[in-house]
Amino acid sequence: MKKQGKKSNAQLIIGTLMSGKTLKSREVSDIIRKKDGKKINVQDVASMLSKVSNPRKCDLGHFIERVKDGNTYAYYMV
């Protein structure tokens, strides 16, 4: 049987978005901290989300929608 290693930050972020809710970077960071006990900076979450939500940079960008919400962006899985 294959051993399960620690999840990367990207895996934790995508897993959080898989909940189906529309989330901001701060909310994603808070959920990861509560659920997995791993502290990820909001800036790191925002940076990763901007990369993976861009279809030109990542294939996941076709499934992650980015919506302007005031001064920030909210993300959700399509």
Side-chain angles (χ1 to χ4, degrees):
M1 204 182 274
K2 191 175 182 183
K3 285 187 176 180
Q4 293 281 339
K6 289 185 178 180
K7 289 186 177 181
S8 69
N9 288 349
Q11 289 173 322
L12 292 171
I13 292 167
I14 299 302
T16 303
L17 283 179
M18 294 290 284
S19 70
K21 298 177 185 175
T22 301
L23 300 169
K24 296 179 183 177
S25 300
R26 179 171 302 282
E27 295 168 337
V28 172
S29 176
D30 290 341
I31 290 170
I32 291 171
R33 187 178 319 115
K34 289 176 187 173
K35 183 179 171 187
D36 297 311
K38 185 172 181 181
K39 185 172 190 242
I40 301 176
N41 292 332
V42 176
Q43 292 170 325
D44 295 339
V45 172
S47 175
M48 182 62 65
L49 283 172
S50 75
K51 289 177 188 172
V52 298
S53 67
N54 186 346
R56 288 183 231 134
K57 293 184 180 180
C58 181
D59 289 335
L60 282 174
H62 297 287
F63 303 104
I64 298 174
E65 193 70 31
R66 182 171 92 163
V67 179
K68 184 81 169 166
D69 186 17
N71 292 338
T72 64
Y73 287 100
Y75 299 87
Y76 64 94
M77 294 295 279
V78 179

